Amino acid sequence: MIRCLAIDDEPLALGQLVSYINKVPFLELAAQCQSALEARAFLEHDTVDAIFCDINMPDLNGMDFVKSLTCPPLIVFTTAYSEYAVEGFKVNAVDYLLKPFGLQDFQRAANRLKERLTPQPVREMSDSSQDDVLYLKTDYRVVTVHVTDIRYVEGMSEYLKVWVEGEAKPIITLLSMKKMEERLPATFMRIHRSYIVNLTKIQEVNKNRVILDARTYLPVGDLYKEAFQTYLQSRFVK
C-alpha cells in the first residue's frame, strides 16, 4: 500500500481528494490536512510515501511547503492555476492535476506513483558485473566510479548522492533513482524510496533498518520490505 497525505485548504476539494484516494485499491490515506502547517506538524511524527498537495493555500503555499521538506516523499500537486505547472516539475513532482480533475486523471497520477514506488525484481548476477564502472556527471566533471566501491545511493529530489568507499563526501549527480537502479547490478537493491544499498556492504540488519557501519543506518521502507526479506531468506545459512 502507498501511504498518502492529502492537503487542501478548501473542504470540498479536500473531501473529493480523500474520496478518490479511497477508491484506488493500492492507496492508503494516512491523514488529511487543511493547511501546509498542519501537514508539517503531522510529518514531524509520521511518514508517508506520497503527498497530494494543493498549491494556493494561506500562510504557507504548497510549493514552498514541499521545498522546505528535507527529504520529501513523492509529490502530486493539485491546483486551479496552470501557471504553477513548470515550477511544479522543477521540484520533481510526479504529476500535476489541474482542477477540476476527475477520477480518471487522479487514477493516472496514482499509477505514476505506483510505478515510481514498485520495487524492481532482483536480477541475476553476472561475473563481469563485479568489475563494472559508472561514469557520473558532477558539477562540470565526469567522475569514474567502480561499482564495487559504491556503498549506497541516496535520492534527494532530482539529484542523487552516491556514497563511495573511503570518501568523506558523496558524489552528487543529476539522475533519477529509477535510472540508477536499472544501471546497477544485482548486488544492489532498493530498500526505500530514497535508498539503494550495496548488499555486500551490509554489516547487520536490525528490525526495519540496515547497518553499514557504526554511523550509517538506512531505513527499509514498507513497500520494499518483502523483497528485501526474500533476499535475506535466500541467503540464510541453514
Side-chain angles (χ1 to χ4, degrees):
M1 297 289 285
I2 300 174
R3 280 172 53 81
C4 301
L5 177 61
I7 312 171
D8 201 306
D9 65 310
E10 298 177 5
L12 289 177
L14 182 60
Q16 183 188 55
L17 192 55
V18 169
S19 173
Y20 286 166
I21 290 173
N22 290 332
K23 288 178 180 178
V24 178
F26 55 82
L27 296 184
E28 175 189 351
L29 181 66
Q32 51 181 301
C33 301
Q34 286 191 265
S35 73
L37 296 179
E38 184 184 345
R40 177 184 284 172
F42 171 81
L43 292 175
E44 287 177 356
H45 61 79
D46 209 336
T47 60
V48 294
D49 301 304
I51 297 177
F52 290 90
C53 184
D54 186 26
I55 293 179
N56 232 24
M57 294 186 289
D59 298 325
L60 178 65
N61 71 50
M63 193 70 66
D64 291 337
F65 164 66
V66 170
K67 290 178 180 178
S68 73
L69 298 176
T70 304
C71 189
L74 297 181
I75 304 294
V76 175
F77 283 119
T78 64
T79 183
Y81 301 92
S82 59
E83 60 266 27
Y84 286 114
V86 174
E87 191 177 356
F89 286 111
K90 281 184 180 179
V91 296
N92 204 32
V94 174
D95 209 340
Y96 183 97
L97 293 173
L98 189 62
K99 297 178 181 179
F101 55 87
L103 180 58
Q104 186 175 354
D105 292 325
F106 181 86
Q107 181 74 60
R108 180 200 68 217
N111 289 338
R112 288 181 176 176
L113 288 174
K114 185 178 181 182
E115 182 181 343
R116 290 278 291 271
L117 288 168
T118 300
Q120 296 296 313
V122 177
R123 291 153 286 171
E124 294 296 324
M125 294 189 198
S126 64
D127 294 336
S128 62
S129 67
Q130 300 302 311
D131 300 317
D132 211 355
V133 169
L134 296 181
Y135 297 94
L136 301 176
K137 292 181 180 179
T138 178
D139 296 325
Y140 300 100
R141 302 174 295 134
V142 175
V143 179
T144 302
V145 180
H146 290 275
V147 169
T148 51
D149 290 337
I150 298 174
R151 302 180 69 219
Y152 66 98
V153 179
E154 180 181 359
M156 51 174 214
S157 190
E158 68 264 37
Y159 290 88
L160 298 181
K161 291 182 179 178
V162 181
W163 294 88
V164 179
E165 199 77 57
E167 299 292 337
K169 295 182 178 180
I171 298 168
I172 299 178
T173 184
L174 180 61
L175 195 65
S176 70
M177 288 287 280
K178 185 176 181 181
K179 288 293 184 182
M180 178 61 84
E181 191 176 7
E182 291 171 351
R183 181 64 181 81
L184 290 170
T187 46
F188 289 79
M189 179 179 285
R190 190 164 183 180
I191 58 170
H192 188 273
R193 60 182 173 80
S194 299
Y195 293 102
I196 299 172
V197 68
N198 185 337
L199 297 167
T200 68
K201 305 294 184 182
I202 297 175
Q203 291 188 1
E204 184 180 333
V205 179
N206 189 334
K207 295 183 180 179
N208 291 331
R209 63 182 183 176
V210 298
I211 301 172
L212 304 189
D213 57 45
R215 294 183 299 175
T216 310
Y217 300 76
L218 306 181
V220 179
D222 290 341
L223 289 172
Y224 303 88
K225 190 181 302 182
E226 183 177 351
F228 183 61
Q229 290 296 331
T230 299
Y231 165 79
L232 291 179
Q233 290 171 8
S234 70
R235 299 301 190 275
F236 282 157
V237 178
K238 300 179 181 179

